[in-house]
Amino acid sequence: MSEDMGFIEGSYRLAGGEWQIVTAFKREGVTEAEIRDGLTWESGVTGMNVIFPVDATINGTVLLNMMSEHLAIETWREVRGPDSIVLR
């Protein structure tokens, strides 16, 4: 992952839960990063969108920090999970 991505998509799972999808992207007209949680994709899998202003930097660290704050998670453990495109 580069230092600044235009779009990130991945899967995550909270302890004891199902795999979920997260997408992060930049959008014109957004002045402050926002999270839209509780989304359901066509497949029935749930997750969230994290939307950033166009001048924001998006990378793995920034995204995990936003998710950590929103979900009240202190530590993430990276594991091999399902491909988010397949989950959708």
Side-chain angles (χ1 to χ4, degrees):
M1 190 175 300
S2 68
E3 282 298 309
D4 188 17
M5 308 285 292
F7 179 81
I8 298 173
E9 180 174 331
S11 56
Y12 68 98
R13 181 176 60 182
L14 302 177
E18 299 292 323
W19 284 99
Q20 298 183 70
I21 298 169
V22 61
T23 62
F25 52 91
K26 300 177 184 187
R27 178 176 284 162
E28 291 284 341
V30 173
T31 57
E32 184 175 306
E34 60 185 72
I35 294 178
R36 295 185 183 163
D37 202 357
L39 303 176
T40 303
W41 275 259
E42 272 187 44
S43 65
V45 174
T46 60
M48 70 175 76
N49 288 335
V50 184
I51 306 163
F52 291 89
V54 294
D55 61 348
T57 298
I58 304 176
N59 58 42
T61 301
V62 169
L63 180 57
L64 284 179
N65 286 340
M66 289 282 299
M67 291 174 67
S68 293
E69 186 175 316
H70 180 74
L71 298 168
I73 302 293
E74 291 184 22
T75 305
W76 292 93
R77 186 171 54 132
E78 191 170 337
V79 299
R80 189 91 146 130
D83 189 314
S84 58
I85 294 172
V86 174
L87 284 176
R88 274 193 284 132

